[in-house]
Amino acid sequence: MTDRQEPASGWAPTWALGRAVLLTGLLLVAAVLLGRIDLVVLATPFALGTAYALRRRPTALPELAIGVEDAHLVEGAPMAATVAVANPDTVSYDMAVVRTRMSRWLRVEKVGFGGTGVDVSRSGGADRPFVTSVPSGAAVDLELTGTALRWGRHPIGPAGARVAAADGLLVSRAVVTDAVRMRVYPMTEPFEAVEAMPRAAGLVGAHHSRRPGEGGELAGVRVFAPGDRLRRIDWRVSLRARQLHVAATLSDRDAEVVVLLDVLAEAGRSGGVRGAASVLDTTVRAAAAIAEHYLHRGDRVALLEYGPAARRLRPATGRRQYLTVLEWLLDVRAESSPHEPYDQVFGPQLLSSDALVVVLTPLLDERSAQMLARMARGGRFVVAVDTLPAELPVPKDRGWAEVAYRLWRLDRDTMIGQLREHGVPVVRWAGAGSLDQVLRDVARLATAPKAGMR
């Protein structure tokens, strides 16, 4: 390889070519000055070898491309990518050096050309040079296989390649290709919730309402009234009472669920799908699980970010909304802000008064607690899900670090108690059944007499 300035063609002589020409020239000059034929004989192989190697000079630069087998993965799934080096020239490349960068959350375990792989899981991964030869008019794939460890949009690349031709006498300039983003969706933790919902804005859905209507839940028997359907007549009761009676039912309903993600702070160290979970990991995975559950039941789900960006996803139903939710969650980032984001988040977007608001928050910022209390005072149906890791390490540094940590824990527990006094239930996320009891309490609160509500 050479560091000298490369010509416009993209190919430059190597130090090997310079040494061959210099040695041949020195031997010929010495032969003329000293009158020695043996020096000419000695220089002949160098001259003929250089001329033979340069008889066909390459003109086209190599082509490089990054490909992925599946650009949409789930945490923990196997990933596969290729870096293809193509030779569009009529001259073979004697050596091609390929190197690519990989996201640290895409763990490469095996690398190889043409199906012959080498285990690199214990030798530094894929971020190192790999060498191969490329015949004329052909392409060689550097295959990268491994595991996707964490959700997000992870880059593969940029990748670069440099090739040598003419027996190593010519080298191309470096060819670099842009990175390719691989989408890794969060692993959906098992989650189930009771059917009890506070209220509903619609009359079509999977939840049983206390409102009379056309549904499948029997509410009792009442006297026939104009507008009742004949198929609802209960003939046994009608014959006994000598008056037409009909079976009354409760209407089925859908609900609007707003999942609010608190992104003001991050804590803990992410270890990927099989390691420890940070606040952001728990938040994203819990949001995906909650959205999947309620969308599967036919409810409307919306997402909001409580942070400086104030991103939002409009409420909708169906599988298309679930895929949109997963794409939306890939861009969740923790961002601190010195300003109060409440008005920025809730100002232009008026939440439905019947919506159930599930707030995923680590409760690390006092503004988050104030937001929860303000929503509860406004009559919202709010459930706070604590996303702070339970195994948060205790600082062992010198000084007062451990004492300060204990005081902070006590202050946080006091804040959670005050939220519960304000009517905001706080529950730790634990997968399936995390919100069952809380949702029952919220549903009972919604159906309580208005005189008992403030």
Side-chain angles (χ1 to χ4, degrees):
M1 300 296 178
T2 178
D3 295 328
R4 291 173 290 180
Q5 186 175 4
E6 296 162 354
S9 62
W11 291 87
T14 64
W15 290 111
L17 177 58
R19 288 191 295 267
V21 173
L22 179 61
L23 182 58
T24 302
L26 290 177
L27 290 175
L28 291 177
V29 170
V32 172
L33 294 178
L34 300 177
R36 297 182 56 178
I37 301 299
D38 57 333
L39 295 179
V40 176
V41 176
L42 188 60
T44 300
F46 292 99
L48 292 179
T50 303
Y52 181 79
L54 295 176
R55 75 190 188 282
R56 296 179 63 191
R57 301 187 59 177
T59 58
L61 292 173
E63 298 176 354
L64 198 63
I66 299 176
V68 292
E69 183 176 324
D70 188 356
H72 303 78
L73 300 176
V74 181
E75 289 178 306
M79 54 81 59
T82 58
V83 181
V85 185
N87 181 2
D89 210 325
T90 57
V91 179
S92 299
Y93 296 152
D94 301 320
M95 182 180 66
V97 181
V98 185
R99 188 169 187 174
T100 181
R101 292 183 177 179
M102 297 286 292
S103 169
R104 69 188 184 98
W105 298 115
L106 299 177
R107 184 177 62 192
V108 178
E109 301 165 351
K110 192 175 182 182
V111 180
F113 288 99
T116 58
V118 179
D119 188 0
V120 296
S121 57
R122 299 183 180 180
S123 58
D127 190 14
R128 60 176 183 171
F130 294 91
V131 180
T132 186
S133 59
V134 185
S136 61
V140 177
D141 293 340
L142 175 64
E143 299 174 355
L144 311 169
T145 57
T147 307
L149 299 180
R150 189 175 184 255
W151 58 272
R153 303 181 192 272
H154 303 305
I156 301 178
R162 203 167 188 180
V163 300
D167 293 338
L169 300 182
L170 296 176
V171 64
S172 72
R173 63 174 174 84
V175 178
V176 180
T177 185
D178 295 334
V180 174
R181 297 279 178 175
M182 178 176 284
R183 298 183 181 93
V184 180
Y185 296 129
M187 182 182 63
T188 304
E189 299 183 18
F191 173 71
E192 296 179 359
V194 295
E195 294 186 8
M197 295 293 291
R199 291 175 188 164
L203 292 175
V204 178
H207 301 285
H208 298 308
S209 169
R210 294 181 180 273
R211 180 183 303 174
E214 294 294 329
E217 185 73 10
L218 184 64
V221 179
R222 58 176 176 80
V223 178
F224 181 85
D228 289 335
R229 297 187 179 185
L230 296 179
R231 62 185 180 89
R232 293 286 187 181
I233 295 177
D234 190 326
W235 293 105
R236 183 186 305 177
V237 176
S238 299
L239 291 175
R240 186 169 57 249
R242 297 183 180 278
Q243 187 178 6
L244 286 180
H245 283 70
V246 294
T249 57
L250 299 177
S251 62
D252 296 332
R253 63 180 184 170
D254 61 355
E256 181 175 336
V257 180
V258 178
V259 183
L260 179 61
L261 285 69
D262 181 3
V263 294
L264 288 177
E266 168 70 314
R269 186 182 296 273
S270 176
V273 66
R274 298 185 182 91
S278 67
V279 167
L280 215 57
D281 289 340
T282 304
T283 299
V284 170
R285 292 166 186 164
I290 294 172
E292 180 185 25
H293 171 77
Y294 286 111
L295 288 173
H296 182 71
R297 303 191 67 83
D299 297 324
R300 300 183 304 279
V301 175
L303 271 72
L304 287 174
E305 270 189 5
Y306 190 70
R311 295 192 309 133
R312 58 175 54 89
L313 180 65
R314 294 182 178 180
T317 61
R319 178 171 176 79
R320 183 175 180 179
Q321 177 71 354
Y322 176 61
L323 297 177
T324 307
V325 165
L326 293 180
E327 288 287 338
W328 191 90
L329 289 174
L330 295 183
D331 298 319
V332 173
R333 298 290 183 272
E335 299 180 76
S336 60
S337 173
H339 307 291
E340 169 61 59
Y342 188 89
D343 294 334
Q344 185 178 358
V345 175
F346 298 104
Q349 178 75 13
L350 296 177
L351 295 178
S352 171
S353 59
D354 296 323
L356 170 65
V357 183
V358 180
V359 183
L360 303 171
T361 173
L363 292 173
L364 294 175
D365 197 308
E366 187 177 350
R367 292 171 295 180
S368 302
Q370 293 174 355
M371 175 265 296
L372 289 168
R374 194 182 306 181
M375 292 181 64
R377 288 196 300 266
R380 305 288 183 186
F381 301 104
V382 185
V383 176
V385 179
D386 185 3
T387 57
L388 189 70
E391 63 280 359
L392 200 65
V394 180
K396 300 294 184 180
D397 300 335
R398 295 180 180 179
W400 299 91
E402 187 172 353
V403 176
Y405 176 81
R406 293 178 180 177
L407 290 175
W408 169 77
R409 275 287 190 182
L410 291 174
D411 182 65
R412 185 174 182 273
D413 293 341
T414 302
M415 180 174 60
I416 292 176
Q418 292 174 347
L419 285 175
R420 287 171 175 161
E421 291 178 359
H422 279 78
V424 180
V426 181
V427 61
R428 180 174 294 279
W429 175 256
S434 297
L435 309 181
D436 277 355
Q437 184 59 44
V438 173
L439 290 179
R440 290 191 187 98
D441 295 341
V442 173
R444 282 197 294 267
L445 178 64
T447 55
K450 292 184 177 181
M453 299 181 62
R454 297 181 180 178

